[in-house]
Amino acid sequence: MPFKLRLSASEWRFALTSFAAKVGLFWLSELVICQWDQERWVCNVVGKGFIPCLITFALMDLLVIPQIRRLRNR
């Protein structure tokens, strides 16, 4: 069974919505939590990991999750 990389319109919509929500939550946590209290441990994680998290979110939302949803729908 070949790996299907192309996404349908509904898969794109789901992936982009999910990606935007994750980036929004990541940004909101940095903005709200870390601006109020920079001593929290999560601020070090958020401050160092924005680009790696974006890459991970994109890979999951565009490659992994659509494959899982296709397999589940069969």
Side-chain angles (χ1 to χ4, degrees):
M1 179 167 54
F3 181 74
K4 184 179 175 189
L5 191 57
R6 299 183 81 181
L7 301 178
S8 67
S10 64
E11 289 172 333
W12 272 110
R13 189 171 40 256
F14 177 82
L16 294 177
T17 302
S18 176
F19 181 73
K22 290 173 187 170
V23 170
L25 287 172
F26 192 88
W27 176 76
L28 187 64
S29 69
E30 193 278 329
L31 179 68
V32 173
I33 295 170
C34 295
Q35 294 302 322
W36 285 342
D37 185 11
Q38 294 182 2
E39 304 272 328
R40 294 181 185 232
W41 66 271
V42 75
C43 295
N44 291 331
V45 174
V46 170
K48 294 178 185 176
F50 186 69
I51 298 299
C53 283
L54 282 181
I55 293 168
T56 304
F57 293 159
L59 288 174
M60 287 297 292
D61 290 335
L62 297 174
L63 297 177
V64 176
I65 293 174
Q67 295 300 319
I68 293 170
R69 291 181 76 206
R70 285 180 191 145
L71 290 173
R72 185 192 70 192
N73 289 337
R74 288 186 186 171

